[in-house]
CSV table of all heavy atoms in Angstrom, one decimal:
chain,number,residue,atom,x,y,z
A,103,TYR,N,314.1,269.3,-16.5
A,103,TYR,CA,314.7,270.1,-17.5
A,103,TYR,C,316.2,270.0,-17.4
A,103,TYR,O,316.9,270.6,-16.5
A,103,TYR,CB,314.3,271.6,-17.4
A,103,TYR,CG,314.8,272.5,-18.4
A,103,TYR,CD1,314.7,272.3,-19.7
A,103,TYR,CD2,315.5,273.7,-18.0
A,103,TYR,CE1,315.2,273.1,-20.7
A,103,TYR,CE2,316.0,274.6,-18.9
A,103,TYR,CZ,315.9,274.3,-20.3
A,103,TYR,OH,316.4,275.2,-21.2
A,104,GLU,N,316.8,269.3,-18.4
A,104,GLU,CA,318.2,268.9,-18.3
A,104,GLU,C,319.2,270.1,-18.3
A,104,GLU,O,320.2,270.1,-17.5
A,104,GLU,CB,318.6,267.9,-19.4
A,104,GLU,CG,319.9,267.2,-19.2
A,104,GLU,CD,320.1,266.1,-20.2
A,104,GLU,OE1,319.2,265.7,-20.9
A,104,GLU,OE2,321.2,265.5,-20.1
A,105,PRO,N,319.0,271.1,-19.2
A,105,PRO,CA,320.0,272.1,-19.3
A,105,PRO,C,320.2,272.9,-17.9
A,105,PRO,O,321.3,273.3,-17.6
A,105,PRO,CB,319.4,273.1,-20.3
A,105,PRO,CG,318.6,272.2,-21.2
A,105,PRO,CD,318.0,271.2,-20.3
A,106,ASN,N,319.2,273.0,-17.1
A,106,ASN,CA,319.3,273.7,-15.8
A,106,ASN,C,319.4,272.7,-14.7
A,106,ASN,O,319.5,273.1,-13.5
A,106,ASN,CB,318.1,274.6,-15.6
A,106,ASN,CG,318.2,275.8,-16.4
A,106,ASN,OD1,319.1,276.1,-17.1
A,106,ASN,ND2,317.1,276.7,-16.3
A,107,ASP,N,319.4,271.4,-15.0
A,107,ASP,CA,319.4,270.4,-13.9
A,107,ASP,C,318.4,270.7,-12.9
A,107,ASP,O,318.6,270.8,-11.7
A,107,ASP,CB,320.8,270.3,-13.3
A,107,ASP,CG,320.9,269.1,-12.4
A,107,ASP,OD1,320.2,268.1,-12.5
A,107,ASP,OD2,321.8,269.1,-11.5
A,108,GLN,N,317.1,270.8,-13.4
A,108,GLN,CA,316.0,271.3,-12.5
A,108,GLN,C,314.8,270.5,-12.7
A,108,GLN,O,314.4,270.2,-13.9
A,108,GLN,CB,315.8,272.8,-12.8
A,108,GLN,CG,315.2,273.6,-11.7
A,108,GLN,CD,315.1,275.1,-12.1
A,108,GLN,OE1,314.9,275.4,-13.3
A,108,GLN,NE2,315.3,275.9,-11.2
A,109,TYR,N,314.1,270.2,-11.6
A,109,TYR,CA,312.8,269.5,-11.7
A,109,TYR,C,311.7,270.6,-11.6
A,109,TYR,O,312.0,271.7,-11.0
A,109,TYR,CB,312.6,268.5,-10.5
A,109,TYR,CG,313.5,267.3,-10.6
A,109,TYR,CD1,314.7,267.3,-9.9
A,109,TYR,CD2,313.1,266.2,-11.3
A,109,TYR,CE1,315.6,266.2,-10.0
A,109,TYR,CE2,313.9,265.1,-11.4
A,109,TYR,CZ,315.2,265.1,-10.7
A,109,TYR,OH,316.0,264.0,-10.8
A,110,TYR,N,310.5,270.3,-12.1
A,110,TYR,CA,309.5,271.3,-12.0
A,110,TYR,C,308.1,270.6,-12.1
A,110,TYR,O,308.0,269.5,-12.7
A,110,TYR,CB,309.6,272.4,-13.1
A,110,TYR,CG,309.2,271.9,-14.5
A,110,TYR,CD1,308.0,272.1,-15.0
A,110,TYR,CD2,310.2,271.2,-15.3
A,110,TYR,CE1,307.6,271.6,-16.3
A,110,TYR,CE2,309.8,270.8,-16.5
A,110,TYR,CZ,308.6,271.0,-17.0
A,110,TYR,OH,308.2,270.5,-18.3
A,111,SER,N,307.1,271.3,-11.6
A,111,SER,CA,305.7,271.0,-11.8
A,111,SER,C,305.0,272.4,-12.1
A,111,SER,O,305.4,273.4,-11.6
A,111,SER,CB,305.1,270.4,-10.6
A,111,SER,OG,305.5,269.1,-10.4
A,112,ASP,N,304.0,272.3,-12.9
A,112,ASP,CA,303.3,273.5,-13.3
A,112,ASP,C,301.8,273.4,-12.8
A,112,ASP,O,301.0,272.8,-13.4
A,112,ASP,CB,303.3,273.7,-14.8
A,112,ASP,CG,302.7,275.0,-15.2
A,112,ASP,OD1,302.5,275.9,-14.4
A,112,ASP,OD2,302.3,275.1,-16.4
A,113,LEU,N,301.5,274.0,-11.6
A,113,LEU,CA,300.2,273.9,-11.0
A,113,LEU,C,299.4,275.1,-11.2
A,113,LEU,O,299.9,276.3,-11.4
A,113,LEU,CB,300.4,273.7,-9.5
A,113,LEU,CG,301.2,272.5,-9.0
A,113,LEU,CD1,301.2,272.4,-7.5
A,113,LEU,CD2,300.7,271.2,-9.6
A,114,ARG,N,298.1,274.9,-11.2
A,114,ARG,CA,297.1,276.0,-11.4
A,114,ARG,C,295.9,275.7,-10.6
A,114,ARG,O,295.4,274.5,-10.5
A,114,ARG,CB,296.7,276.1,-12.9
A,114,ARG,CG,295.5,276.9,-13.2
A,114,ARG,CD,295.0,276.7,-14.6
A,114,ARG,NE,293.7,277.3,-14.9
A,114,ARG,CZ,293.5,278.4,-15.6
A,114,ARG,NH1,294.5,279.1,-16.1
A,114,ARG,NH2,292.3,278.9,-15.8
A,115,ILE,N,295.3,276.7,-9.9
A,115,ILE,CA,294.1,276.5,-9.2
A,115,ILE,C,293.0,277.3,-9.9
A,115,ILE,O,293.2,278.4,-10.4
A,115,ILE,CB,294.1,276.9,-7.7
A,115,ILE,CG1,294.6,278.3,-7.5
A,115,ILE,CG2,295.0,275.9,-7.0
A,115,ILE,CD1,294.4,278.8,-6.1
A,116,ASP,N,291.8,276.7,-10.0
A,116,ASP,CA,290.6,277.4,-10.4
A,116,ASP,C,289.6,277.4,-9.3
A,116,ASP,O,289.2,276.3,-8.9
A,116,ASP,CB,290.0,276.8,-11.7
A,116,ASP,CG,290.9,277.0,-12.9
A,116,ASP,OD1,290.9,278.1,-13.5
A,116,ASP,OD2,291.7,276.0,-13.2
A,117,VAL,N,289.2,278.5,-8.8
A,117,VAL,CA,288.4,278.6,-7.6
A,117,VAL,C,287.1,279.2,-8.0
A,117,VAL,O,287.0,280.2,-8.8
A,117,VAL,CB,289.1,279.6,-6.5
A,117,VAL,CG1,288.2,279.7,-5.3
A,117,VAL,CG2,290.5,279.0,-6.1
A,118,SER,N,286.0,278.7,-7.4
A,118,SER,CA,284.7,279.2,-7.7
A,118,SER,C,283.7,279.1,-6.5
A,118,SER,O,283.8,278.2,-5.7
A,118,SER,CB,284.0,278.6,-8.9
A,118,SER,OG,283.8,277.2,-8.7
Side-chain angles (χ1 to χ4, degrees):
Y103 179 52
E104 189 170 359
N106 286 357
D107 188 23
Q108 207 175 31
Y109 294 92
Y110 74 95
S111 285
D112 184 19
L113 303 182
R114 167 191 168 106
I115 59 169
D116 292 279
V117 177
S118 64

